Structures are given as C-alpha cells and as structure tokens.
C-alpha cells in the first residue's frame, strides 16, 4: 500500500504527543484504523518479569476486553512468541503462533472466532530492555483479507523509528514522575555541546564530581570510562544509529552510585517535552538521563508492618516503587534474579495483590499513609 505523506505525518505527530501524554496512544490506534481499515488495535507493556504494566485497546468490544483481562490474557498463545522476538521486529501473527495450532485452542474458539474471526494480525516489538517490553499490534477479521494485515505491518515498519523514540522519551518522563529524587536531564549535541540542562543537571555540573564543562563549552565526564561511553554514544548518533545505552558509576568508593542512560532523540520529540531546547539543531541529539541510585531506604519497618512483609521483601518492593527493574534490584542486592522474583511473588501473596502493579500501588499507599 502506498501511504499518503499526510497520513504518515499525522501518525508521527500523534506518536510524538504520546511520548509526553500516554493517553494519545489510543488516538494513534484510531488514526491508524482510519488509514488501514478495521483495526482492532492493542498496545501492551510488560515489566521485566513479563507481568502487565499497561494496556491500550481500540476497536474491541468492551465485554471481550473484560473477559480478556479477567481470564483470556493467560490463554493468549500469541503473547509468548511475540515477546520472544528481538526489539525492532515486525511480525505476522503466524510467526507468533501457527494458525493450525491456534484454531485448536480455547483462546480461538471462545475469544477470537466470536469477534468476526480475528485470526489475521501482527505487530511489532517496539522496545525490549531490562525495564520491560513495549508491543504494538492489531487483529483483523478473516473476511477483511490479508492485504489489510500486510498494510498494517508495512505501516509499523515505516513508523518504527518514531515509535521507539517515543517509548524512550515516555520512560524518561515516567522516571521524572516516580518517587525519589528527580533525574538530571541533559540534551547533548553530537559535538558534546549542551542544548538543554535541567535544574538537577545544573546542580551536578556545579558540583563537578560527576561531570563538568570544558573551557570550550563541551560536556566532560570525570570518569574516563564514562567519557568513553559518552563518546561512543555520540559516535553512533553521528552515524544515524538510534542506539540506547546505559552506564553506572560511583564518584567515590562507597559513595552514591549514579545510573546514566543515553537515548537518541529527534527535534520533534524533544520539543514535545522541552520546547525550544533544539533551536538551531538539526538531526539527532542524545537525551542523557542521570539518576542517583536510591535503592537504600529507611522505610522498610513501616512497609513490613503495613503489608506483613519480611525486611528483604520490603526492600525489594520499595525498590519497585522507585522504578527499578527486577534485574537492577538483583544486581544491587547481589542475589539471583530468581530470588528477587520469588520475593516479589511472596510479597504479592501477603499483600493480596493480583499483579505487580497492584503491589506497587499498595506499597505507595502504605508508605504515604
């Protein structure tokens, strides 16, 4: 299908808006439906342990969505095959789970077939990292024909760079709203000059223990390892490679450790969050996010009393409330990922939480009570 430039431009604009306002993802699916046809779209987010952290739907009957969330989500044979693919993949539903096996399942008989036989479909793995997975997909009635499905997959391929950039910016904005210290935000041009510095980042520059400005106005890291890391990220940027990267460093032995992430961003996405930051800048810049490791906490006794947790379980749950992934928590605590997952499951059982997100909500309520 030959897409109209106006359609691509509008979808890209909605994607940019969604980076700062997640409610716009539903508008993205609705606009895609107006371009493709009868789209039954869905956007799914999963945490590092594959538990759901958010969903957006368009075109489905509300009753079927209720049934999906209450029962069929665990019966969906497409999901494991979808999540297993690498970041950036666009795939047909048949690559997630073969049709000849699908039609024999309860999922197909009771959920897919009653909805005009939505067996056609496909989606993309927009992002996949230790923090979680972000998927966009859609299904179509069998009677719509395979051309509609193929057009949908082509559209996802065209929009993949914008979708991935929007996801990265969304994660940054979420981090800024989480409990604890707000991260420092810097927008770094390919020549290492700064296009934007948040108040928190200005404080780090003034302190000078982690980063500083050279006499020529370029950013310099105090650690040779971090400086090499930043140079590599900017080199990838100059080659047009939209590669996200992370690092961590403690300025003093035993002192606070900082986590750094570098995310390529184009002007439209940056302007959505920080207007005018990219004036006079063409192409990609690096969104540098720096956050002090805040896994240490004195709130464990309070959470232990409120939810009946052990000290170890409370420490893990508090780390979750601060936006850390299970892998990050395991590395910090020097235990296996399996151990952390077991502690989360135990905390969910004790707090009568059905999902990890519900556990985090209960913990935040207990800590602020």
């Amino acid at each position: 299908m030959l897409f109209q430039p106006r359609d691509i431009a509008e979808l890209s604009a909605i994607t940019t808006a969604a980076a700062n306002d997640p409610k716009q993802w539903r508008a993205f699916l609705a606009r895609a439906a107006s371009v493709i046809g009868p789209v039954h779209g869905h956007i799914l987010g999963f945490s590092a342990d594959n538990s759901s952290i958010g969903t957006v739907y368009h075109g489905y009957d509300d009753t079927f969505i209720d049934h999906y969330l209450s029962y069929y989500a665990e019966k969906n044979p497409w999901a494991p095959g979808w999540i297993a693919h690498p970041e950036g993949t666009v795939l047909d539903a048949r690559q997630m789970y073969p049709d000849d096996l699908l039609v024999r399942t309860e999922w197909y008989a009771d959920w897919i077939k009653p909805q005009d036989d939505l067996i056609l479909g496909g989606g993309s793995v927009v992002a996949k990292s230790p923090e979680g997975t972000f998927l966009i997909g859609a299904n179509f009635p069998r009677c719509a024909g395979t051309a509609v499905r193929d057009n949908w997959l082509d559209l996802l391929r065209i929009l993949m760079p914008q979708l991935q950039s929007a996801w990265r910016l969304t994660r940054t904005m979420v981090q800024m709203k989480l409990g604890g210290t707000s991260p420092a935000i810097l927008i770094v041009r390919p020549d290492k000059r700064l296009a934007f510095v948040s108040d928190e980042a200005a404080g780090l520059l003034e302190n000078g223990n982690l980063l500083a400005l050279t006499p020529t106005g370029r950013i310099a890291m105090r650690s040779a390892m971090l400086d090499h890391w930043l140079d590599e990220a900017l080199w990838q940027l100059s080659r047009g490679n939209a590669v996200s990267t992370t690092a961590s460093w403690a300025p003093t032995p035993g002192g606070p450790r900082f986590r750094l992430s570098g995310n390529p961003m184009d002007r439209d996405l940056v302007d959505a969050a920080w207007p005018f930051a990219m004036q006079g800048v063409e192409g990609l810049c690096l969104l540098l996010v720096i956050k002090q490791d805040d896994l240490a906490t004195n709130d464990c006794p309070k959470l232990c009393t409120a939810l009946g947790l052990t000290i170890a379980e409370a420490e893990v749950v508090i780390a979750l409330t601060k936006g850390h992934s299970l892998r990050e928590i395991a590395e910090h605590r020097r235990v296996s990922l399996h151990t952390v997952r077991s502690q989360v499951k135990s905390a969910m059982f004790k707090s009568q939480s059905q999902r990890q997100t519900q556990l985090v909500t209960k913990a935040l309520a207990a800590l602020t009570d």
Side-chain angles (χ1 to χ4, degrees):
M1 178 179 179
L2 183 61
F3 297 104
Q4 296 297 317
R6 177 181 176 183
D7 294 332
I8 299 299
E10 288 186 6
L11 284 166
S12 296
I14 295 172
T15 301
T16 297
N20 198 32
D21 179 9
K23 295 178 182 178
Q24 293 298 319
W25 286 117
R26 192 180 301 277
F28 171 84
L29 292 175
R31 184 67 180 90
S34 71
V35 175
I36 300 296
V39 170
H40 293 69
H42 40 272
I43 297 176
L44 311 175
F46 295 92
S47 63
D49 64 349
N50 288 339
S51 60
S52 175
I53 57 175
T55 54
V56 176
Y57 300 101
H58 171 79
Y60 294 96
D61 184 276
D62 289 344
T63 301
F64 279 95
I65 292 299
D66 290 342
H67 291 167
Y68 177 83
L69 295 175
S70 64
Y71 179 73
Y72 288 102
E74 296 182 0
K75 302 291 183 179
N76 181 356
W78 280 322
W82 191 0
I83 296 174
H85 281 75
E87 179 177 302
T89 303
V90 176
L91 63 158
D92 187 315
R94 293 171 296 181
Q95 296 172 267
M96 304 175 192
Y97 197 76
D99 283 354
D100 60 333
L101 298 179
L102 182 77
V103 296
R104 304 175 192 174
T105 63
E106 177 186 5
W107 160 260
Y108 175 78
D110 295 346
W111 204 83
I112 293 295
K113 194 172 182 179
Q115 298 184 78
D116 296 326
D117 201 357
L118 297 175
I119 195 170
L120 300 176
S124 61
V125 183
V126 175
K128 193 173 185 181
S129 71
E131 292 182 328
T133 304
F134 181 50
L135 310 172
I136 295 181
N139 292 97
F140 310 92
R142 189 191 295 268
C143 62
T146 58
V148 176
R149 175 200 60 206
D150 295 343
N151 290 339
W152 164 249
L153 298 180
D154 286 343
L155 184 64
L156 289 179
R157 292 186 184 98
I158 293 171
L159 294 173
M160 181 62 73
Q162 290 94 331
L163 293 170
Q164 291 181 321
S165 292
W167 162 258
R168 288 190 288 265
L169 183 54
T170 296
R171 293 302 302 168
T172 299
M173 301 305 288
V174 168
Q175 289 174 5
M176 293 178 69
K177 295 173 183 176
L178 288 172
T181 305
S182 297
I185 306 292
L186 304 96
I187 299 175
V188 186
R189 306 183 188 198
D191 63 0
K192 298 186 80 169
R193 295 182 186 275
L194 297 176
F196 174 81
V197 179
S198 70
D199 291 342
E200 292 79 10
L204 290 179
L205 286 167
E206 184 177 353
N207 177 274
N209 288 335
L210 183 67
L211 59 138
L213 288 179
T214 68
T216 57
R218 291 175 170 83
I219 185 174
M221 310 302 265
R222 292 303 191 189
S223 157
M225 181 274 291
L226 286 184
D227 217 36
H228 175 75
W229 169 79
L230 180 60
D231 285 341
E232 175 67 20
L234 292 173
W235 180 79
Q236 293 286 353
L237 200 70
S238 68
R239 296 174 62 87
N241 298 328
V243 178
S244 295
T245 182
T246 60
S248 66
W249 187 63
T252 58
R257 176 169 291 272
F258 291 87
R259 296 185 295 138
L260 299 86
S261 65
N263 303 293
M265 291 288 159
D266 63 24
R267 179 168 181 165
D268 288 342
L269 276 169
V270 172
D271 281 348
W274 300 283
F276 312 117
M278 297 274 281
Q279 279 192 328
V281 181
E282 299 296 333
L284 296 173
C285 278
L286 193 72
L287 179 68
L288 182 59
V289 182
I290 305 174
K291 186 171 176 61
Q292 185 173 325
D293 191 339
D294 54 2
L295 280 168
T297 178
N298 296 319
D299 291 329
C300 289
K302 186 174 184 179
L303 199 59
C304 290
T305 301
L307 300 182
L309 308 182
T310 65
I311 289 292
E313 290 165 354
E315 289 174 345
V316 169
V317 172
I318 289 172
L320 288 175
T321 68
K322 295 178 178 179
H324 296 284
S325 70
L326 298 185
R327 190 174 302 279
E328 289 172 335
I329 297 170
E331 291 175 353
H332 179 86
R333 296 175 64 79
R334 297 183 180 179
V335 298
S336 70
L337 185 59
H338 173 75
T339 296
V340 174
R341 284 175 174 164
S342 296
Q343 290 168 331
V344 171
K345 289 180 180 178
S346 177
M348 289 172 62
F349 175 77
K350 292 178 179 179
S351 63
Q352 298 182 345
S353 301
Q354 299 300 314
R355 291 183 293 275
Q356 187 173 302
T357 50
Q358 187 179 9
L359 171 63
V360 169
T361 299
K362 289 186 176 183
L364 287 171
L367 292 172
T368 56
D369 187 8

